[in-house]
Amino acid sequence: MRMPPDDARLQRLLGGPELADLRRRLRRHYERHPAGQHPPILQLGGLAPHEQARLAALMGRPVRPVKTIRIDLTDIDTALQHAGVCSSLRDALAQIDGPLIDRRAAKTEQIQAWATLATGQVNTDSHGTPSDPRLLAWLQTPVAIPLLKRLGRANIPSAAKLLSQADAVMQHLPAPGMPRAQLAARTLGDAHALDDGQAVAQVVLAIWTQTDGSTLSAPDVKNERNRAIWARAGVLVNELARPALCVNLPVQDSATATWRPGIPTYLSLRQLLRHPPDWAVAGLTVYICENPNLLAIAADCLADHCAPLVCTDGMPSAAQRTLLDQLSAAGAKLAYHGDFDWPGLQIANHVQHRWHALPWRMSAADYMNALRHAPQRPPDLGEPVVHARWDLALTPTMQAHGLIVAEEAVADELIQDLRQPKASG
């Protein structure tokens, strides 16, 4: 039988900050079970003396210092009723600290809510249901819901808002040549909403990475990696930073080229995305080197007799990636050479995996040949070791000798490969 609580007496019995920890432990017991289905006996250990005293008083027992106290909740309910304080201990806890939560039911409800969200259904009044098919496909991947939980702090409305915002952005992608700030202002009303670190930006980047099926290499700097993903969606971020260096890349109409044969040229991400050249490279071998010095040496030695050559300048950034994407799509056969050191092998692994480039004088035999002409010096290869995917003998051979061979040290051999009667374009 439920009775109106006597608030003043209830507060004296169980209220106050000094009994807050005890109330929390009692609440957890009730919240683990549906109403009316909780076990009637509860054992509590580690209680403070004043907590033991209060429980003993409620049960009408003498106070004894013990490590664990056995509580008959039915006896406490009866005592509270007879005293005219309230109907039960459960009601008392709800009266003092607010309604108790059925945690099992709440957990089931949360699981169902996330499962519903994974289908693209946003059950809130303030956010529309996403419609972009790429977003809906991404939601079916195993990474989607964990990312939304983390970015939305495990809150369904927050995650739903992120999905709605990401959907608005995805409706405008790809956006060839559009600055990221303009895209953010146009779709979300805030020019900084898609800046690095923003939650909705992370969702959009995850969706686009899933959409184009490409992978990025571990050594990439995070913001540079993000810039490259945006570039693949046609979006400009710091579009003038780290332009791609090249020489003698042929185009269908040489009158449209902004560079001269034999002269090293920088192509910005802005230029590549806003005015992509019509590359005339189908069936041609386009060579790729790691270091700008090698490209400069080739241009000095061969001028317009140099084969088409692109420099990654280390791990390719957004502009280099965009250029290699365009050349590969235009039918070029790519061939890569870099330094014989661990970062050089890491870059080679990435370039060969991403653009199916062939190794260019990058075998164990090439390394041994380079050592024959290298000056004697102490070993300088350190850790961590990188394994060359294209030649299983290369890494063990480099470990055995311990020496770095810079790309410039084998320039003479590379120049011979690059020599051709006349560069196109």
Side-chain angles (χ1 to χ4, degrees):
M1 176 179 176
R2 186 173 296 275
M3 64 179 65
D6 186 331
D7 292 341
R9 293 179 64 195
L10 187 56
Q11 288 294 332
R12 287 195 298 271
L13 279 174
L14 280 172
E18 69 279 1
L19 293 176
D21 286 341
L22 174 61
R23 293 197 304 273
R24 275 194 289 270
R25 297 180 69 179
L26 293 171
R27 286 177 69 93
R28 281 199 298 270
H29 175 75
Y30 285 107
E31 289 178 340
R32 284 196 294 264
H33 308 279
Q37 299 181 26
H38 62 273
I41 304 299
L42 173 63
Q43 295 195 83
L44 293 178
L47 294 171
H50 71 278
E51 293 173 329
Q52 289 192 22
R54 188 55 50 92
L55 286 173
L58 284 172
M59 294 184 291
R61 299 179 186 172
V63 180
R64 296 190 182 92
V66 292
K67 292 183 178 180
T68 302
I69 186 170
R70 186 173 183 273
I71 304 167
D72 189 325
L73 298 175
T74 304
D75 287 349
I76 294 181
D77 289 346
T78 302
L80 291 171
Q81 292 170 12
H82 287 169
V85 177
C86 63
S87 302
S88 66
L89 178 58
R90 184 187 185 99
D91 289 343
L93 296 171
Q95 180 67 25
I96 296 171
D97 294 315
L100 280 80
I101 300 170
D102 185 340
R103 296 194 179 275
R104 187 178 299 177
K107 183 177 181 180
T108 300
E109 184 178 344
Q110 279 286 96
I111 292 173
Q112 183 57 49
W114 285 110
T116 300
L117 194 69
T119 67
Q121 299 178 48
V122 179
N123 297 324
T124 66
D125 294 334
S126 55
H127 309 297
T129 299
S131 59
D132 188 277
R134 297 163 298 185
L135 184 152
L136 297 176
W138 174 74
L139 280 173
Q140 300 307 306
T141 67
V143 300
I145 294 302
L147 179 64
L148 288 171
K149 285 182 178 180
R150 178 172 64 83
L151 296 176
R153 299 183 178 181
N155 181 270
I156 289 284
S158 297
K161 180 179 179 180
L162 284 176
L163 279 183
S164 179
Q165 291 176 323
D167 185 59
V169 176
M170 292 300 298
Q171 299 289 342
H172 287 74
L173 295 182
M178 181 182 290
R180 183 176 63 181
Q182 182 182 1
L183 175 66
R186 179 174 296 180
T187 58
L188 302 175
D190 179 358
H192 297 287
L194 295 174
D195 287 357
D196 289 324
Q198 293 295 321
V200 64
Q202 295 181 57
V203 174
V204 172
L205 290 172
I207 295 169
W208 192 262
T209 301
Q210 172 72 22
T211 297
D212 70 7
S214 61
T215 57
L216 291 166
S217 184
D220 294 337
V221 176
K222 181 179 179 181
N223 289 348
E224 182 57 51
R225 181 174 67 241
N226 292 347
R227 195 166 76 103
I229 301 172
W230 283 118
R232 295 202 303 272
V235 179
L236 298 173
V237 181
N238 298 330
E239 63 265 32
L240 300 180
R242 284 198 70 192
L245 177 63
C246 59
V247 66
N248 291 342
L249 288 181
V251 291
Q252 296 291 351
D253 181 1
S254 59
T256 65
T258 59
W259 56 92
R260 292 163 53 195
I263 304 300
T265 303
Y266 281 107
L267 300 176
S268 70
L269 178 63
R270 180 189 183 96
Q271 180 180 358
L272 290 168
L273 289 179
R274 289 192 173 183
H275 308 287
D278 188 6
W279 300 114
V281 293
L284 293 181
T285 297
V286 174
Y287 292 89
I288 307 170
C289 64
E290 178 184 346
N291 300 285
N293 288 335
L294 192 280
L295 188 142
I297 294 169
D300 288 342
C301 294
L302 303 175
D304 59 351
H305 292 272
C306 181
L309 181 61
V310 174
C311 176
T312 66
D313 193 13
M315 183 63 72
S317 67
Q320 287 85 21
R321 285 186 169 116
T322 300
L323 176 56
L324 293 176
D325 281 345
Q326 291 178 358
L327 294 173
S328 180
K333 300 175 183 177
L334 304 178
Y336 178 82
H337 186 280
D339 293 330
F340 282 111
D341 61 8
W342 303 140
L345 266 58
Q346 184 71 53
I347 297 168
N349 280 336
H350 173 65
V351 172
Q352 291 180 34
H353 174 73
R354 177 70 178 86
W355 293 283
H356 308 290
L358 297 173
W360 171 30
R361 291 188 182 270
M362 286 289 286
S363 68
D366 294 316
Y367 175 74
M368 291 301 299
N369 182 64
L371 287 183
R372 295 187 186 99
H373 305 288
Q376 294 298 313
R377 64 181 188 276
D380 46 19
L381 276 171
E383 301 287 343
V385 174
V386 175
H387 294 277
R389 297 174 182 170
W390 65 93
D391 185 345
L392 298 181
L394 178 55
T395 297
T397 302
M398 290 173 61
Q399 287 178 292
H401 292 81
L403 295 177
I404 291 174
V405 179
E407 191 172 36
E408 295 86 346
V410 295
D412 290 344
E413 289 82 1
L414 300 178
I415 294 300
Q416 294 305 313
D417 295 339
L418 292 169
R419 188 182 301 276
Q420 63 178 29
K422 181 75 173 175
S424 302

